[in-house]
Amino acid sequence: GRTRPAFDLLGAAQSLADIVIGMVLQRDRAARLVQQSVRDPAALSLEAAIEALAAASFRVAPGESERRSALRRVVARALADRLIALAADREAAPEVRAMAEFQLSQLEGRARRLGAIGRPAARAQWLAIAADARRWIERREAPQPTSAPRLPQYDPFGIDW
């Protein structure tokens, strides 16, 4: 983590969010979601998958603790970074890239609105997400996201002997 010797709560959350969101938004998986929703309108679509991730992270819950709010912003940042990467991925299907960019434009507006309220630290993070999304949409400049802390090389759930 970045807070040695103390435990890096936000770094651990960033690593986990990056793994989970990265798996959901993996280019081939995203293309399968597009294809399956074309075949079966009741199937989970890429749009619905992204919107579910955004609904859980791009919000402020009244009365929520600062810790929980900070963790939510870490997830929102991971989602924005992965959407930018997916929109920029030349190997991704055109429908996938288009949906990633569309959702990114939606999230840019949400982040800008969230950046108008709350504590300065939270506002700064929301506005940074909005600025990175806008930079991609307008100039096709992808930010250089801070990499998630490396995971330990051992099994985090223990070893069965």
Side-chain angles (χ1 to χ4, degrees):
R2 298 180 194 95
T3 60
R4 284 182 204 100
F7 176 69
D8 185 356
L9 174 70
L10 299 180
Q14 181 186 10
S15 294
L16 179 59
D18 189 59
I19 289 169
V20 172
I21 293 170
M23 292 174 96
V24 172
L25 296 182
Q26 190 271 342
R27 90 167 73 106
D28 296 336
R29 181 170 287 124
R32 287 192 298 274
L33 289 174
V34 169
Q35 291 295 320
Q36 290 169 355
S37 65
V38 167
R39 291 184 186 134
D40 178 5
L44 178 66
S45 66
L46 177 58
E47 175 185 9
I50 295 169
E51 286 177 357
L53 291 167
S57 58
F58 275 76
R59 66 186 181 93
V60 173
E64 186 171 66
S65 72
E66 181 55 33
R67 176 183 170 154
R68 192 163 176 102
S69 294
L71 292 171
R72 190 181 305 282
R73 290 189 304 272
V74 167
V75 175
R77 167 48 78 180
L79 177 57
D81 289 345
R82 284 294 181 158
L83 284 173
I84 291 170
L86 193 56
D89 186 348
R90 295 188 185 278
E91 298 298 317
E95 301 85 1
V96 169
R97 292 178 69 189
M99 181 53 68
E101 184 152 340
F102 173 76
Q103 291 293 333
L104 191 59
S105 70
Q106 301 300 301
L107 295 182
E108 187 261 339
R110 279 189 193 180
R112 192 160 305 287
R113 287 188 296 279
L114 291 168
I117 59 173
R119 298 171 65 170
R123 293 175 63 196
Q125 289 175 322
W126 289 121
L127 292 175
I129 291 170
D132 286 346
R134 177 62 31 210
R135 194 174 304 108
W136 170 257
I137 292 165
E138 290 179 352
R139 294 182 272 180
R140 296 295 187 253
E141 284 180 22
Q144 297 299 316
T146 302
S147 57
R150 288 178 10 150
L151 296 173
Q153 303 233 349
Y154 54 85
D155 182 353
F157 300 107
I159 299 170
D160 288 329
W161 296 99

